[in-house]
Amino acid sequence: MIKAIFVAPKKRSLQLSIEAVKVDAGKGIVGDRNYAKRYEAGLNITFVEYEEIEAFNTNFGQNIALSDTRRNIVTQGVRLNQLVGKEFSIGEVQFYGVEMCEPCSALGRSLANGTLTAPQVVKAWLNRGGLRANVLTTGILKIGMSLVR
């Protein structure tokens, strides 16, 4: 299920929480910083598990918000790593799971604080950072919609 949807209009801009969003086949989320960027597969849209955000907060005594991972879609009840190399759908929109969305140094720096260093943050999110996917069909995504394999 989609728990939250975020877009960032420009690189490094704040993530904006929205209730629904249009996605275009081969281009991604309308209004997002990565819309229509084709230089790397899997940049159309990113997903992260709500459960992994909660586990990070619990395991490391943190309180990050759902938007702090800078992923577009926060899911609940879906194991995203299992979708690498597979097609799946949300409503009428179809996706292809390109690769795991492994943590980068920018995520490490943004979540680092007095109790966690940037390298510790990156290590904590390894194999838990979500999924990069390509959008295969155009449609609308809304909070509460279910993901189907």
Side-chain angles (χ1 to χ4, degrees), residues 69-84:
T69 61
R70 306 226 17 110
R71 307 301 188 251
N72 300 118
I73 307 292
V74 179
T75 63
Q76 187 171 21
V78 178
R79 298 303 301 169
L80 296 171
N81 289 1
Q82 296 174 359
L83 298 176
V84 173

Side-chain angles (χ1 to χ4, degrees), residues 32-105:
D32 188 65
R33 67 195 179 280
N34 288 318
Y35 182 78
K37 292 189 177 173
R38 297 181 150 287
Y39 57 85
E40 185 179 331
L43 277 184
N44 283 175
I45 192 166
T46 56
F47 297 83
V48 67
E49 297 173 24
Y50 171 79
E51 294 85 354
E52 292 296 353
I53 295 170
E54 289 297 299
F56 176 81
N57 283 338
T58 299
N59 294 339
F60 296 96
Q62 303 298 301
N63 191 31
I64 69 168
L66 298 182
S67 63
D68 288 343
T69 61
R70 306 226 17 110
R71 307 301 188 251
N72 300 118
I73 307 292
V74 179
T75 63
Q76 187 171 21
V78 178
R79 298 303 301 169
L80 296 171
N81 289 1
Q82 296 174 359
L83 298 176
V84 173
K86 296 187 170 121
E87 287 190 21
F88 60 96
S89 61
I90 300 173
E92 295 181 10
V93 182
Q94 293 183 315
F95 302 89
Y96 177 77
V98 175
E99 64 187 4
M100 292 192 312
C101 192
E102 293 292 15
C104 62
S105 59

Side-chain angles (χ1 to χ4, degrees), residues 3 41 77 83 107 124 134:
K3 182 145 180 91
L83 298 176
L107 179 69
N134 285 337

Side-chain angles (χ1 to χ4, degrees), residues 3-39:
K3 182 145 180 91
I5 301 171
F6 298 100
V7 296
K10 296 179 183 177
K11 190 174 183 177
R12 295 186 186 92
S13 66
L14 289 176
Q15 293 274 87
L16 305 174
S17 176
I18 53 179
E19 297 289 318
V21 69
K22 182 181 182 210
V23 293
D24 286 338
K27 294 182 179 178
I29 297 176
V30 174
D32 188 65
R33 67 195 179 280
N34 288 318
Y35 182 78
K37 292 189 177 173
R38 297 181 150 287
Y39 57 85

